[in-house]
Amino acid sequence: MKVNSSAAAALMGRKTRGVLPGFGLTLGYTMVYLSLLVLIPISAVFIRSSSGGWAHFWEVVTAPRVLASLRLSFGASLVAASINVVFGLIVSWVLVRYTFPFKRFIDGMVDLPFALPTAVAGIALTALYAPNGWLGAWLKPLGIEVAFTPLGIVVALTFIGMPFVVRTLQPVLEELDREVEQAAASLGASPLQAFCRVIFPALWPALLTGFALAFARAIGEYGSVIFIAGNMPMRSEIAPLLIVAKLEQYDYAGATAIAVVMLVLSFAIMFGINALQNWAASRHGER
Amino acid sequence: MGRLLLIVTALLFLCVFLVLPLLVVFAQALAKGFEVYYLAILAPMAWAAVKLTLLVAAIAVPLNLIFGVAAAWAIAKFNFRGKSALITLIDLPFAVSPVIAGMIFILVFGTHGWFGGYLRAHHIRVVFAVPGIVLATMFVTFPFIARELIPVMQSQGKDDEETALSLGATGWQTFWRVTLPNIRWGLLYGVLLCNARAMGEFGAVSVVAGHIRGVTNTMPLHVEILYNEYNYTAAFAVASLLALLALLTLAGKSILEWRQPELRHAVRRPRDRTRRAYS
């Protein structure tokens, strides 16, 4: 009886869009707030950059200094996201599968890069890796310079991107059936074989998603990088910093042109992640 | 053996990338003793920065809270065309570099921007002033609360609300007495994350602020100024306050996740949860 009445309510609800009030008000408010704060201001970038014409846009974007900064931003982000995939996998595996002291505390700390303001992260990493810093003093005799070089940018972007990979992998690892691995082991598979043939196939959509999230965040990152980068044009100047430099010279056409390149790529990555997650979810079905 | 190696590798990585950066902030802040630390924190400019940071968060967080509740109500309780597109658009600010987030408000409200002439004629300053900082912060923290609340409200369905309405409650009564108590932990969770980002945002605010000491300096901007003046102890002293805020946020987050384990997953895989709630 109860089931019937709720089923009837659900049917009626679908027909009349439900008895709940406030649909027009809340959706209207959502659309207005979204348009005023996000959509219209973002459209300003595209409108402003197109006002200079295609030729000018191309001239700005292919200038050697701009190309160098874009290459650096994308290259360093790629390296950092790859480092995060490797160590993120190890960290999330250890957190899900093993028990050790202070595990809960350590698990909570993984979100530190989300919570710590980027400027604080930037000066902290610089102090750490400067030639007289705790880690820099150890690395200097080995001939490794981190602070004020492109390597420093990779370190900062690795810090920023790490939680994305760990937090994407953890729930997938938690759901992974241990019996399948045990079955593989009992059938004579080595741990490495079990990982490559059984675990990795289930894991790679999450690995790719985590990689893409960390990569997308790293491309736009500013605060944690500028302190450690050294900011030498053509060598250690990231694209967001070049936007700031152009804004300070009131070169809006130049700044918006670089911004358009970055926005288009970021949006493409975002839609790619969406498509990937849809595909992975449909592949797995309802578990 | 392999297990020990993995644990040691993971802990070493986390130590280098999480623990050391955090420790170095406090070590540098206290390098010249407690007295210097207190003086740096109590300096008038530092206080002005603390006050502005609190003001900005006090405006941006409640506005995004109202938006988040409205968006979650529309998306979680009703079916309409273009819903998944709307969810993607709400996430858009996460894909925008903080620098671009600041720049867009210069393009709209700056001297050469769309409304530049009007604003100058009426002596209203948005860019290089507090309103610009608030706008940039609102943009950057825009998705936080909505994105926490949508899966929470979706998983709860609308049976409770429909019961309340059928018993004669008005829409507002239903919202205040039924919906709000149901979503309070998710709401708090979103506010916590939104507030941490609002107080800590650097890139976007740095572009719109124009760095006028004591007038348009938030705490992260003040850290940068002190650092660039080679006043490292003072820079790290102010930074240590922000690091404490981050630690408090993480602690609050852990407590809420412990109370409401499903929040953990809401944050990790929002899209998955959304899809599961649809089907």
Side-chain angles (χ1 to χ4, degrees):
Chain A
M1 194 58 208
K2 202 182 172 194
V3 174
N4 273 343
S5 68
S6 72
L11 270 177
M12 274 169 56
R14 198 159 297 159
K15 233 180 257 168
T16 60
R17 189 158 263 159
V19 287
L20 291 187
F23 177 68
L25 178 71
T26 53
L27 186 65
Y29 183 74
T30 300
M31 297 306 289
V32 169
Y33 192 78
L34 175 73
S35 305
L36 288 180
L37 189 61
V38 177
L39 300 183
I40 295 173
I42 287 183
S43 73
V45 177
F46 291 94
I47 293 169
R48 194 59 171 263
S49 76
S50 66
S51 68
W54 175 250
H56 182 72
F57 174 85
W58 192 248
E59 193 185 319
V60 170
V61 169
T62 53
R65 190 174 164 190
V66 175
L67 278 181
S69 76
L70 286 171
R71 208 176 294 133
L72 177 66
S73 274
F74 283 90
S77 302
L78 212 60
V79 175
S82 308
I83 294 173
N84 276 324
V85 163
V86 174
F87 285 95
L89 178 60
I90 296 174
V91 168
S92 49
W93 181 268
V94 164
L95 286 175
V96 171
R97 287 296 171 96
Y98 306 140
T99 47
F100 48 89
F102 304 110
K103 186 174 132 170
R104 279 187 66 138
F105 173 75
I106 291 165
D107 188 61
M109 284 289 289
V110 167
D111 284 325
L112 182 73
F114 284 156
L116 194 69
T118 54
V120 178
I123 63 169
L125 290 171
T126 311
L128 215 50
Y129 287 96
N132 59 351
W134 292 350
L135 292 174
W138 283 86
L139 294 170
K140 203 182 172 194
L142 304 172
I144 304 169
E145 279 181 64
V146 176
F148 319 123
T149 68
L151 197 57
I153 301 175
V154 173
V155 168
L157 296 180
T158 308
F159 172 83
I160 286 299
M162 190 252 292
F164 288 97
V165 178
V166 177
R167 294 307 189 212
T168 317
L169 282 174
Q170 256 178 333
V172 182
L173 277 173
E174 277 164 13
E175 282 175 28
L176 206 65
D177 213 341
R178 277 179 213 211
E179 282 172 22
V180 187
E181 287 162 63
Q182 282 160 3
S186 73
L187 291 172
S190 71
L192 190 69
Q193 277 177 322
F195 179 82
C196 293
R197 301 269 179 85
V198 178
I199 300 169
F200 188 75
L203 226 51
W204 76 262
L207 272 172
L208 199 58
T209 305
F211 175 87
L213 287 171
F215 181 66
R217 169 73 201 259
I219 292 173
E221 180 55 28
Y222 175 72
S224 62
V225 175
I226 54 161
F227 295 99
I228 202 171
N231 307 327
M232 300 272 293
M234 303 298 293
R235 183 162 178 266
S236 55
E237 183 180 55
I238 53 168
L241 181 69
L242 193 52
I243 292 180
V244 173
K246 290 202 181 280
L247 280 176
E248 276 169 0
Q249 296 157 4
Y250 300 101
D251 177 9
Y252 291 139
T256 50
I258 306 171
V260 163
V261 174
M262 291 182 62
L263 280 179
V264 167
L265 285 161
S266 303
F267 292 163
I269 295 171
M270 192 172 137
F271 286 118
I273 296 171
N274 272 356
L276 181 71
Q277 291 203 322
N278 281 331
W279 179 80
S282 68
R283 195 182 69 142
H284 280 272
E286 283 294 313
R287 271 180 299 186
Chain B
M1 187 58 207
R3 171 198 173 121
L4 193 69
L5 190 72
L6 283 179
I7 293 181
V8 169
T9 310
L11 291 185
L12 214 60
F13 178 77
L14 292 180
C15 184
V16 168
F17 276 96
L18 293 182
V19 180
L20 286 181
L22 196 60
L23 282 183
V24 86
V25 172
F26 293 100
Q28 294 275 346
L30 297 169
K32 290 181 185 158
F34 279 99
E35 204 168 327
V36 178
Y37 180 73
Y38 286 131
L39 282 176
I41 287 178
L42 297 175
M45 287 303 169
W47 263 112
V50 172
K51 272 191 220 152
L52 182 60
T53 294
L54 292 176
L55 174 73
V56 169
I59 300 171
V61 175
L63 284 173
N64 280 336
L65 174 65
I66 295 169
F67 159 73
V69 172
W73 181 269
I75 288 169
K77 307 281 185 196
F78 301 93
N79 282 317
F80 54 92
R81 281 182 61 187
K83 191 196 269 194
S84 62
L86 180 61
I87 295 175
T88 305
L89 285 179
I90 289 175
D91 272 351
L92 210 58
F94 279 150
V96 175
S97 169
V99 167
I100 298 175
M103 184 180 81
I104 57 180
F105 293 105
I106 292 185
L107 296 181
V108 176
F109 297 110
T111 320
H112 306 286
W114 287 349
F115 301 112
Y118 175 86
L119 291 174
R120 202 168 29 182
H122 291 79
H123 304 288
I124 305 169
R125 286 183 71 91
V126 175
V127 165
F128 306 136
V130 176
I133 296 179
V134 173
L135 280 172
T137 306
M138 280 165 65
F139 177 93
V140 169
T141 58
F142 175 83
F144 278 90
I145 297 173
R147 142 185 260 221
E148 295 308 324
L149 282 183
I150 290 168
V152 169
M153 274 204 197
Q154 272 174 337
S155 69
Q156 283 169 349
K158 45 191 179 183
D159 292 351
D160 289 358
E161 282 82 4
E162 281 169 351
T163 310
L165 286 168
S166 72
L167 292 172
T170 66
W172 281 111
Q173 282 174 327
T174 307
F175 174 74
W176 287 109
R177 307 241 180 109
V178 178
T179 310
L180 209 55
N182 275 345
I183 61 169
R184 64 183 188 277
W185 298 119
L187 199 90
L188 205 57
Y189 197 79
V191 167
L192 200 68
L193 300 183
C194 183
N195 180 64
R197 182 72 193 263
M199 290 189 170
E201 177 52 29
F202 175 71
V205 168
S206 147
V207 169
V208 287
H211 286 331
I212 306 169
R213 276 192 104 161
V215 182
T216 60
N217 256 354
T218 62
M219 285 168 78
L221 296 180
H222 195 58
V223 169
E224 187 203 16
I225 288 189
L226 291 170
Y227 189 87
N228 287 344
E229 287 171 348
Y230 304 104
N231 195 347
Y232 294 133
T233 311
F236 279 100
V238 179
S240 74
L241 296 180
L242 288 166
L244 274 180
L245 172 77
L247 287 176
L248 284 176
T249 304
L250 289 183
K253 189 169 170 292
S254 295
I255 292 170
L256 284 173
E257 282 170 359
W258 172 69
R259 275 194 95 103
Q260 298 272 296
E262 62 266 29
L263 283 174
R264 239 169 113 84
H265 286 281
V267 122
R268 283 178 188 171
R269 288 165 88 194
R271 271 166 216 298
D272 250 34
R273 282 271 307 217
T274 312
R275 196 166 307 105
R276 222 167 280 165
Y278 280 146
S279 52

